[in-house]
PDB file of all heavy atoms in Angstrom:
ATOM      1  N   SER A   7       1.985  18.159  -0.991  1.00 98.00           N
ATOM      2  CA  SER A   7       2.447  19.306  -0.195  1.00 98.00           C
ATOM      3  C   SER A   7       1.938  20.598  -0.815  1.00 98.00           C
ATOM      4  O   SER A   7       2.305  20.956  -1.944  1.00 98.00           O
ATOM      5  CB  SER A   7       3.977  19.321  -0.142  1.00 98.00           C
ATOM      6  OG  SER A   7       4.407  20.604   0.261  1.00 98.00           O
ATOM      7  N   HIS A  32      -0.157  17.453   2.771  1.00 99.00           N
ATOM      8  CA  HIS A  32       1.052  17.720   3.562  1.00 99.00           C
ATOM      9  C   HIS A  32       1.201  19.235   3.742  1.00 99.00           C
ATOM     10  O   HIS A  32       1.155  19.990   2.771  1.00 99.00           O
ATOM     11  CB  HIS A  32       2.250  17.137   2.813  1.00 99.00           C
ATOM     12  CG  HIS A  32       3.572  17.235   3.489  1.00 99.00           C
ATOM     13  ND1 HIS A  32       4.034  16.274   4.369  1.00 99.00           N
ATOM     14  CD2 HIS A  32       4.567  18.163   3.395  1.00 99.00           C
ATOM     15  CE1 HIS A  32       5.248  16.603   4.781  1.00 99.00           C
ATOM     16  NE2 HIS A  32       5.597  17.750   4.205  1.00 99.00           N
ATOM     17  N   ASP A  34       3.624  22.182   5.233  1.00 99.00           N
ATOM     18  CA  ASP A  34       4.999  22.477   5.648  1.00 99.00           C
ATOM     19  C   ASP A  34       5.039  23.749   6.477  1.00 99.00           C
ATOM     20  O   ASP A  34       4.839  24.847   5.956  1.00 99.00           O
ATOM     21  CB  ASP A  34       5.886  22.642   4.410  1.00 99.00           C
ATOM     22  CG  ASP A  34       6.181  21.297   3.757  1.00 99.00           C
ATOM     23  OD1 ASP A  34       6.671  20.395   4.462  1.00 99.00           O
ATOM     24  OD2 ASP A  34       5.904  21.146   2.553  1.00 99.00           O
ATOM     25  N   HIS A  65       4.090  18.888   8.852  1.00 99.00           N
ATOM     26  CA  HIS A  65       5.541  18.728   8.980  1.00 99.00           C
ATOM     27  C   HIS A  65       6.087  20.007   9.627  1.00 99.00           C
ATOM     28  O   HIS A  65       6.133  21.054   8.987  1.00 99.00           O
ATOM     29  CB  HIS A  65       6.123  18.491   7.568  1.00 99.00           C
ATOM     30  CG  HIS A  65       7.607  18.432   7.506  1.00 99.00           C
ATOM     31  ND1 HIS A  65       8.300  18.434   6.296  1.00 99.00           N
ATOM     32  CD2 HIS A  65       8.562  18.346   8.474  1.00 99.00           C
ATOM     33  CE1 HIS A  65       9.596  18.372   6.537  1.00 99.00           C
ATOM     34  NE2 HIS A  65       9.784  18.324   7.843  1.00 99.00           N
ATOM     35  N   MET A  67       8.807  22.342  10.839  1.00 98.00           N
ATOM     36  CA  MET A  67      10.225  22.720  10.736  1.00 98.00           C
ATOM     37  C   MET A  67      10.389  23.996  11.553  1.00 98.00           C
ATOM     38  O   MET A  67      10.588  25.091  11.022  1.00 98.00           O
ATOM     39  CB  MET A  67      10.594  22.932   9.258  1.00 98.00           C
ATOM     40  CG  MET A  67      10.655  21.638   8.482  1.00 98.00           C
ATOM     41  SD  MET A  67      10.457  21.867   6.695  1.00 98.00           S
ATOM     42  CE  MET A  67       8.677  21.796   6.588  1.00 98.00           C
ATOM     43  N   LEU A 134       9.828  10.243   8.771  1.00 98.00           N
ATOM     44  CA  LEU A 134       9.945  11.025   7.534  1.00 98.00           C
ATOM     45  C   LEU A 134      11.426  11.225   7.230  1.00 98.00           C
ATOM     46  O   LEU A 134      12.158  11.848   8.009  1.00 98.00           O
ATOM     47  CB  LEU A 134       9.223  12.368   7.693  1.00 98.00           C
ATOM     48  CG  LEU A 134       9.488  13.458   6.651  1.00 98.00           C
ATOM     49  CD1 LEU A 134       9.373  12.944   5.227  1.00 98.00           C
ATOM     50  CD2 LEU A 134       8.519  14.615   6.855  1.00 98.00           C
ATOM     51  N   MET A 136      14.026  12.989   4.970  1.00 98.00           N
ATOM     52  CA  MET A 136      14.145  14.117   4.030  1.00 98.00           C
ATOM     53  C   MET A 136      15.143  13.764   2.930  1.00 98.00           C
ATOM     54  O   MET A 136      16.263  13.325   3.211  1.00 98.00           O
ATOM     55  CB  MET A 136      14.623  15.387   4.752  1.00 98.00           C
ATOM     56  CG  MET A 136      13.649  15.984   5.744  1.00 98.00           C
ATOM     57  SD  MET A 136      12.034  16.385   5.069  1.00 98.00           S
ATOM     58  CE  MET A 136      12.431  17.608   3.817  1.00 98.00           C
ATOM     59  N   ASP A 174      10.354  12.833   1.582  1.00 98.00           N
ATOM     60  CA  ASP A 174       9.942  14.199   1.244  1.00 98.00           C
ATOM     61  C   ASP A 174      11.110  14.959   0.635  1.00 98.00           C
ATOM     62  O   ASP A 174      12.157  15.097   1.265  1.00 98.00           O
ATOM     63  CB  ASP A 174       9.479  14.870   2.553  1.00 98.00           C
ATOM     64  CG  ASP A 174       8.939  16.281   2.376  1.00 98.00           C
ATOM     65  OD1 ASP A 174       8.774  16.728   1.230  1.00 98.00           O
ATOM     66  OD2 ASP A 174       8.680  16.919   3.409  1.00 98.00           O
ATOM     67  N   VAL A 194       5.825  12.335  -0.319  1.00 99.00           N
ATOM     68  CA  VAL A 194       5.374  13.723  -0.312  1.00 99.00           C
ATOM     69  C   VAL A 194       5.839  14.362  -1.623  1.00 99.00           C
ATOM     70  O   VAL A 194       6.973  14.155  -2.044  1.00 99.00           O
ATOM     71  CB  VAL A 194       6.008  14.488   0.874  1.00 99.00           C
ATOM     72  CG1 VAL A 194       5.610  15.962   0.834  1.00 99.00           C
ATOM     73  CG2 VAL A 194       5.606  13.848   2.198  1.00 99.00           C
TER      74      VAL A 194
HETATM   75 ZN1   ZN B 302       7.547  18.586   4.109  1.00 72.12          ZN
END
Side-chain angles (χ1 to χ4, degrees):
S7 163
H32 183 88
D34 286 306
H65 175 190
M67 288 158 272
L134 166 48
M136 293 304 298
D174 183 8
V194 176

